[in-house]
Amino acid sequence: MKWTVVGFWGGHPEQGEATSAYLLEEEDYTLLIDCGSGVLAQLPKYVPISQLDAVILSHFHFDHVADIGPLQYAKHVEKYIGNPKGVLPIYAHQLEPDKFRTLTYEEATKGIPYDLGKALQVGPFTITFLKTEHPAPCAAMAITDERKKIVFTADTSFFPDLIPFAKHADLLVAECSLYKGVDGKPMGHLNAEDVGFIAKQAEVKELLLSHLPHYGNHQELVEQAKVEFKGTLSLAQSGWSWEA
Ligand SMILES: [Zn+2]
């Protein structure tokens, strides 16, 4: 499994970068996880858009789905210039039906619902979900290929169920929107101390801080998470990748 950061900003992208989006690849299969703003301009650095096999979305906030429209247009354009893979499946929950419906667009993309209570098979990946604590309905994902486990918190404030969900992950990709001392509950986000605590309690092997804020010094997020978590810890940046 190879995990690549396409975009890591919360809210909006900084110049030349993108908000939430990650590529998960195994052999010939390529899954895009979230498709935030700026992603369509970043994606070709890593993979041609025509090579995507599927997309899965955690929730419908703009910093996770803003470039779904441009992706649909890109698939539409492909039809005229030869599209060997055909309709692109976009997996998402149906807790906001009006938004879910927008995922199906002509012969370009098709929305496919996942059930938060059921495991989903997408290519070589088995994905289970945990509904998070966030202003919009949002799903954290635990992704396995039967050898390794990656857990993506998506957007959430701290709640105890995150710990068993992330247990023994080989890689925990955690949103880290806030610095230590800022209460994430009202906003539905994690601070660096929460993230370190989850990673420590879940005994994960490696931790990636992502969904980063537009203020302060990100290195402080690392120091604050490290107080709890003593394992390998990285700060997301465009193109950061992990392979196992
Ligand atoms: Zn959100």
Side-chain angles (χ1 to χ4, degrees):
M1 287 211 275
K2 184 181 183 192
W3 179 277
T4 304
V5 175
V6 178
F8 61 89
W9 288 104
H12 63 90
E14 292 288 345
Q15 187 176 8
E17 296 186 314
T19 63
S20 188
Y22 308 92
L23 278 175
L24 185 59
E25 295 166 277
E26 177 145 319
E27 293 174 1
D28 287 340
Y29 199 89
T30 305
L31 174 66
L32 178 67
I33 299 171
D34 282 348
C35 188
S37 50
V39 168
L40 261 280
Q42 297 301 311
L43 209 46
K45 292 179 181 173
Y46 311 105
V47 66
I49 288 159
S50 61
Q51 251 180 49
L52 292 179
D53 290 290
V55 180
I56 190 165
L57 303 175
S58 62
H59 67 304
F60 289 95
H61 276 158
F62 288 128
D63 51 342
H64 297 253
V65 301
D67 268 16
I68 286 292
L71 176 61
Q72 290 171 325
Y73 284 180
K75 295 302 292 181
H76 193 63
V77 167
E78 264 180 17
K79 266 199 314 187
Y80 296 99
I81 55 177
N83 178 4
K85 289 203 168 160
V87 178
L88 179 67
I90 304 178
Y91 296 87
H93 65 64
Q94 277 186 305
L95 299 174
E96 292 181 284
D98 290 351
K99 290 174 179 163
F100 178 83
R101 272 193 286 278
T102 65
L103 302 179
T104 297
Y105 176 69
E106 299 186 355
E107 297 296 307
T109 62
K110 181 170 172 50
I112 300 178
Y114 60 69
D115 181 336
L116 284 140
K118 278 192 196 149
L120 174 73
Q121 193 69 35
V122 179
F125 309 116
T126 305
I127 306 176
T128 54
F129 304 97
L130 177 67
K131 190 165 185 287
T132 70
E133 297 198 347
H134 195 58
C138 178
M141 301 176 202
I143 306 163
T144 64
D145 66 351
E146 291 172 5
R147 291 181 313 114
K148 299 289 178 184
K149 174 180 176 181
I150 298 175
V151 172
F152 170 49
T153 65
D155 284 10
T156 187
S157 57
F158 176 79
F159 64 108
D161 288 353
L162 286 166
I163 293 166
F165 189 71
K167 198 77 185 179
H168 295 145
D170 295 284
L171 175 67
L172 172 63
V173 179
E175 76 121 298
C176 191
S177 299
L178 303 165
Y179 292 84
K180 182 179 176 177
V182 181
D183 180 9
K185 273 272 177 239
M187 289 173 270
H189 286 297
L190 295 171
N191 69 37
E193 188 178 27
D194 296 329
V195 173
F197 180 76
I198 294 164
K200 179 189 178 184
Q201 296 296 320
E203 300 172 273
V204 306
K205 287 209 179 101
E206 192 163 341
L207 172 62
L208 177 69
L209 308 182
S210 194
H211 201 282
L212 301 178
H214 295 272
Y215 70 103
N217 176 354
H218 290 166
Q219 207 53 44
E220 281 179 25
L221 297 171
V222 173
E223 299 309 318
Q224 292 166 356
K226 266 186 180 170
V227 173
E228 293 279 353
F229 180 66
K230 306 298 181 193
T232 307
L233 197 165
S234 305
L235 201 53
Q237 53 184 304
S238 301
W240 183 92
S241 72
W242 176 94
E243 196 163 2

